[in-house]
Amino acid sequence: MDLLDLYRGRLSWRRLRVIIRHLPADSALARELHGESADWSRTDRLLADLVDIGRLHMHTTVAVNLGKDQRHPWPAPQPVPRPWMAEPAPPPAARRASPAEIADTVAQAMDRPPRPYQPGG
Protein backbone atom coordinates (compact mmCIF):
# COMPACT_ATOMS: atom_id res chain seq x y z
CA MET A 1 0.00 0.00 0.00
CA ASP A 2 1.29 3.43 -0.90
CA LEU A 3 0.09 6.46 1.06
CA LEU A 4 0.26 8.50 -2.13
CA ASP A 5 -2.79 6.46 -3.25
CA LEU A 6 -4.71 8.56 -0.74
CA TYR A 7 -3.99 11.69 -2.80
CA ARG A 8 -4.31 9.91 -6.15
CA GLY A 9 -7.87 8.92 -5.28
CA ARG A 10 -7.20 5.17 -5.14
CA LEU A 11 -7.45 5.02 -1.31
CA SER A 12 -10.17 6.68 0.75
CA TRP A 13 -9.70 8.20 4.20
CA ARG A 14 -12.21 5.70 5.53
CA ARG A 15 -10.26 2.74 4.12
CA LEU A 16 -7.01 4.14 5.60
CA ARG A 17 -8.69 4.45 8.99
CA VAL A 18 -9.94 0.85 8.81
CA ILE A 19 -6.46 -0.41 7.90
CA ILE A 20 -4.86 1.50 10.79
CA ARG A 21 -7.49 0.39 13.33
CA HIS A 22 -6.97 -3.29 12.44
CA LEU A 23 -3.18 -3.33 12.55
CA PRO A 24 -1.78 -6.04 14.82
CA ALA A 25 -0.90 -5.12 18.39
CA ASP A 26 2.81 -5.67 17.71
CA SER A 27 2.94 -3.48 14.58
CA ALA A 28 5.53 -0.73 14.16
CA LEU A 29 2.80 1.91 14.61
CA ALA A 30 1.65 0.35 17.90
CA ARG A 31 5.24 0.21 19.16
CA GLU A 32 5.73 3.85 18.22
CA LEU A 33 2.52 4.94 19.94
CA HIS A 34 2.66 2.70 23.04
CA GLY A 35 6.36 1.95 23.53
CA GLU A 36 7.39 -1.30 25.20
CA SER A 37 3.89 -2.11 26.38
CA ALA A 38 2.93 -2.93 22.77
CA ASP A 39 5.27 -5.96 22.97
CA TRP A 40 3.12 -7.51 25.72
CA SER A 41 0.35 -9.69 24.33
CA ARG A 42 -2.83 -10.45 26.26
CA THR A 43 -1.31 -13.81 27.20
CA ASP A 44 1.81 -12.11 28.61
CA ARG A 45 -0.34 -9.80 30.71
CA LEU A 46 -2.44 -12.67 32.05
CA LEU A 47 0.65 -14.74 32.87
CA ALA A 48 2.20 -11.82 34.76
CA ASP A 49 -1.06 -11.43 36.72
CA LEU A 50 -1.07 -15.15 37.54
CA VAL A 51 2.51 -14.99 38.80
CA ASP A 52 1.62 -11.98 40.99
CA ILE A 53 -1.44 -13.75 42.38
CA GLY A 54 0.54 -16.94 43.08
CA ARG A 55 3.27 -15.05 44.93
CA LEU A 56 0.75 -13.09 46.98
CA HIS A 57 -1.21 -16.26 47.77
CA MET A 58 1.94 -18.01 49.01
CA HIS A 59 2.92 -15.00 51.11
CA THR A 60 -0.57 -14.73 52.62
CA THR A 61 -0.76 -18.47 53.34
CA VAL A 62 2.52 -18.37 55.24
CA ALA A 63 1.44 -15.24 57.13
CA VAL A 64 -1.87 -16.78 58.19
CA ASN A 65 -0.22 -19.97 59.45
CA LEU A 66 2.46 -18.23 61.52
CA GLY A 67 2.10 -18.09 65.27
CA LYS A 68 1.24 -14.79 66.93
CA ASP A 69 4.80 -14.32 68.16
CA GLN A 70 6.46 -15.15 64.84
CA ARG A 71 7.45 -12.64 62.21
CA HIS A 72 7.05 -13.30 58.49
CA PRO A 73 10.28 -14.79 57.09
CA TRP A 74 10.31 -12.68 53.92
CA PRO A 75 8.89 -9.33 52.73
CA ALA A 76 5.73 -8.98 50.68
CA PRO A 77 6.25 -9.96 47.03
CA GLN A 78 6.81 -7.31 44.40
CA PRO A 79 4.73 -7.52 41.20
CA VAL A 80 6.31 -8.65 37.94
CA PRO A 81 7.70 -5.48 36.32
CA ARG A 82 5.54 -4.22 33.48
CA PRO A 83 6.62 -1.53 31.00
CA TRP A 84 3.58 0.67 31.65
CA MET A 85 3.99 0.63 35.45
CA ALA A 86 6.18 3.12 37.24
CA GLU A 87 9.24 1.76 38.98
CA PRO A 88 8.51 1.12 42.65
CA ALA A 89 10.07 3.65 44.96
CA PRO A 90 13.06 2.32 46.84
CA PRO A 91 12.46 1.71 50.53
CA PRO A 92 13.56 4.57 52.77
CA ALA A 93 17.05 4.26 54.17
CA ALA A 94 17.09 2.73 57.61
CA ARG A 95 17.99 5.20 60.32
CA ARG A 96 18.80 4.41 63.89
CA ALA A 97 16.97 6.45 66.46
CA SER A 98 19.07 8.26 69.01
CA PRO A 99 18.66 7.35 72.68
CA ALA A 100 16.91 10.68 73.28
CA GLU A 101 14.37 9.95 70.53
CA ILE A 102 13.71 6.52 72.01
CA ALA A 103 13.22 8.02 75.48
CA ASP A 104 10.78 10.62 74.07
CA THR A 105 8.80 7.96 72.19
CA VAL A 106 8.54 5.72 75.24
CA ALA A 107 7.56 8.66 77.43
CA GLN A 108 4.83 9.70 74.98
CA ALA A 109 3.52 6.15 74.93
CA MET A 110 3.41 6.12 78.73
CA ASP A 111 2.03 9.69 79.00
CA ARG A 112 4.95 10.86 81.12
CA PRO A 113 7.28 13.76 80.63
CA PRO A 114 10.58 12.57 79.15
CA ARG A 115 13.58 12.35 81.41
CA PRO A 116 16.81 13.77 80.10
CA TYR A 117 19.07 11.11 78.62
CA GLN A 118 22.31 10.57 80.50
CA PRO A 119 24.82 8.20 78.94
CA GLY A 120 25.98 5.38 81.17
CA GLY A 121 23.30 5.87 83.75
Side-chain angles (χ1 to χ4, degrees):
M1 181 184 82
D2 188 4
L3 283 180
L4 288 176
D5 288 346
L6 186 64
Y7 298 103
R8 293 179 186 144
R10 295 185 213 145
L11 179 67
S12 69
W13 285 101
R14 181 178 182 276
R15 176 74 178 139
L16 178 63
R17 187 187 74 154
V18 168
I19 290 171
I20 290 173
R21 289 188 105 184
H22 294 286
L23 284 173
D26 60 346
S27 68
L29 179 64
R31 270 189 246 112
E32 182 65 31
L33 292 175
H34 304 292
E36 287 182 46
S37 64
D39 294 335
W40 281 58
S41 67
R42 175 174 283 167
T43 304
D44 295 333
R45 293 172 193 239
L46 289 172
L47 283 172
D49 289 342
L50 281 174
V51 168
D52 291 344
I53 290 168
R55 287 178 179 171
L56 187 60
H57 177 58
M58 174 65 96
H59 187 268
T60 305
T61 302
V62 170
V64 165
N65 291 308
L66 287 174
K68 290 185 178 184
D69 299 341
Q70 293 177 318
R71 190 174 174 174
H72 206 292
W74 62 83
Q78 296 296 316
V80 172
R82 293 162 173 88
W84 57 90
M85 290 174 53
E87 288 292 321
R95 181 180 84 73
R96 294 186 83 147
S98 70
E101 289 174 326
I102 293 172
D104 289 343
T105 303
V106 171
Q108 287 175 1
M110 299 173 78
D111 284 334
R112 286 195 246 159
R115 292 187 306 169
Y117 171 73
Q118 301 196 356

